[in-house]
Amino acid sequence: MFAHWLQLIFSHPDLPASLVIAAKSAVIYLFVLVGLRMLGTRELGEMSAYDFVLIVVIANAVQNALVGGDNSLVGGLISAFTLLLVNRVLQAVIERFPAVRKGIVGEPVVLVTNGQPRWQRMQKEGIEREELEAALREHGVASIDDVRLAVLEVDGEISVVPKHGTVHRMRRRPVRGLRTQ
Amino acid sequence: MNDTYLALPAMALRTVIVLSALLVGIRLVGKRHVGEMAVDDILLILMMANAVQNAMTSGSGRLLVALACAGSLIMAGWLAGHVFYRFPFLERSVTGSPTVLVHGGIAIRGNLRREHVSQEQLMLAIRKQGLVKVADVELAVLEANGSISVVPNEAKGGD
């Protein structure tokens, strides 16, 4: 009976099935990742509630495909570790090749230098004047003239360096949406 | 019939095994990176959670199984909190310890490389603190939770 119990716990798929799980997990992860990127780096970097729901739903949608009806302990772990590994490899690739980094992560965009706003760039990045000014106020800066440097970062936040004095930095918050920390 | 009594503790145990394996795995793979691609992190975590779901529940949708799994997760979290409080060195080994990235205006290249913090990520953290150059930074530390905290240089003032 005890042996039966152990079998209940440490169930595992056979080798071919394991390989299938690993391969499917990797393919699905890359597919979803590329799909999200194609929707637009910056928009998703900002993580509105809508984006969050989208990601949760996607994760649920691919669930059955990940392990393909395999209910064993080892099968699930194989899938999870495949995801981790693919993520890590991707991270290493981004680190090694700046060009890939530019494509996947994006680049920081300078919005204001020495009180000079770059409206064209802001328009291109979809940043409205109100958003920029809100970001300035959050950093305790009242007017664009007082800004030494404002940068739209790759995670969707706007960082502000004032011309003089110390920074009155408030809670770190993205321009739109959730990502609070 | 007999299986019902066997199944619940088995699920609970499987749940704890899955949780431990994931924590150890994440630590081994070195997932403590700077808050850059937030979407990808959330996607990864959610997909991993879904990938191990059936490994915990055996694909069973029964209420008791759900309660057993959720209950053992909560218990494991509670237990870990107590153990970490009692033995801080264990927590360090799981979460990692803070690493100094910049000291006295000078970047420590070895630590940056070891922790996979790129130049871009460091500059992002520095700009968020309202500074422009590495030289303006007295101290920058990669914290255990993956965020970079930045202490400005006193001499920087309002130049």
Side-chain angles (χ1 to χ4, degrees):
Chain A
M1 191 179 112
F2 189 64
H4 175 63
W5 196 64
L6 279 183
Q7 232 171 26
L8 263 183
I9 296 172
F10 296 102
S11 51
H12 59 86
D14 54 7
L15 185 64
S18 303
L19 293 178
V20 168
I21 289 175
K24 272 164 84 176
S25 299
V27 169
I28 292 168
Y29 181 59
L30 287 174
F31 177 82
V32 174
L33 209 59
V34 170
L36 280 179
R37 286 289 140 203
M38 281 167 69
L39 271 181
T41 319
R42 198 77 74 180
E43 283 71 29
L44 279 164
E46 288 163 13
M47 280 299 285
S48 64
Y50 166 78
D51 299 324
F52 192 72
V53 171
L54 180 71
I55 291 171
V56 172
V57 172
I58 288 176
N60 277 323
V62 299
Q63 179 188 341
N64 288 341
L66 281 177
V67 286
D70 180 280
N71 290 334
S72 64
L73 175 72
V74 178
L77 288 179
I78 289 173
S79 178
F81 277 78
T82 307
L83 297 177
L84 255 183
L85 271 181
V86 173
N87 179 275
R88 188 74 198 83
V89 169
L90 221 61
Q91 217 78 48
V93 170
I94 288 172
E95 228 167 85
R96 190 69 55 87
F97 303 103
V100 179
R101 177 191 184 82
K102 236 166 97 176
I104 296 183
V105 183
E107 279 183 307
V109 180
V110 174
L111 303 180
V112 183
T113 43
N114 288 320
Q116 289 293 319
R118 310 288 170 91
W119 295 120
Q120 274 179 346
R121 286 192 200 167
M122 277 185 250
Q123 196 179 8
K124 209 176 130 214
E125 298 293 338
I127 302 283
E128 285 152 26
R129 193 195 176 99
E130 286 75 24
E131 283 175 313
L132 176 69
E133 284 172 345
L136 298 190
R137 285 193 296 272
E138 269 187 17
H139 289 79
V141 178
S143 130
I144 294 178
D145 296 335
D146 300 331
V147 176
R148 180 170 166 196
L149 185 71
V151 179
L152 176 62
E153 304 290 359
V154 288
D155 63 359
E157 285 182 44
I158 296 177
S159 59
V160 179
V161 182
K163 267 186 184 161
H164 8 248
T166 47
V167 194
H168 306 282
R169 188 165 150 279
M170 302 208 173
R171 210 156 39 87
R172 188 191 280 184
R173 218 172 55 74
V175 179
R176 297 189 198 100
L178 289 175
R179 222 178 86 79
T180 47
Q181 210 182 52
Chain B
M1 188 65 195
N2 195 12
D3 259 12
T4 315
Y5 296 105
L6 285 172
L8 287 183
M11 303 297 169
L13 204 56
R14 280 170 71 144
T15 304
V16 173
I17 292 172
V18 165
L19 182 65
S20 319
L22 284 190
L23 288 182
V24 171
I26 288 171
R27 182 82 186 110
L28 283 182
V29 179
K31 197 92 191 54
R32 169 175 85 160
H33 77 249
V34 191
E36 208 177 27
M37 302 157 68
V39 189
D40 303 353
D41 287 345
I42 292 170
L43 179 70
L44 177 69
I45 290 168
L46 284 176
M47 278 181 72
M48 278 174 62
N50 278 326
V52 297
Q53 182 187 327
N54 287 347
M56 294 193 280
T57 61
S58 284
S60 161
R62 278 164 49 213
L63 177 66
L64 275 180
V65 171
L67 294 181
C69 289
S72 48
L73 283 175
I74 292 167
M75 292 258 292
W78 177 83
L79 202 68
H82 272 258
V83 171
F84 285 158
Y85 181 76
R86 181 72 60 88
F87 307 106
F89 69 91
L90 268 179
E91 181 163 26
R92 270 199 300 280
S93 70
V94 173
T95 60
S97 49
T99 310
V100 176
L101 301 178
V102 180
H103 188 249
I106 295 164
I108 302 171
R109 297 204 170 277
N111 286 355
L112 285 169
R113 197 173 329 117
R114 207 167 311 122
E115 298 293 342
H116 303 288
V117 178
S118 67
Q119 184 76 23
E120 288 84 358
Q121 289 167 329
L122 180 64
M123 291 316 294
L124 184 149
I126 290 174
R127 281 194 300 265
K128 281 192 177 171
Q129 197 62 38
L131 302 173
V132 193
K133 316 185 285 291
V134 175
D136 299 335
V137 177
E138 178 60 39
L139 187 69
V141 178
L142 176 63
E143 305 291 356
N145 65 8
S147 67
I148 298 178
S149 53
V150 177
V151 181
N153 196 330
E154 287 296 330
K156 190 243 164 194
D159 59 319

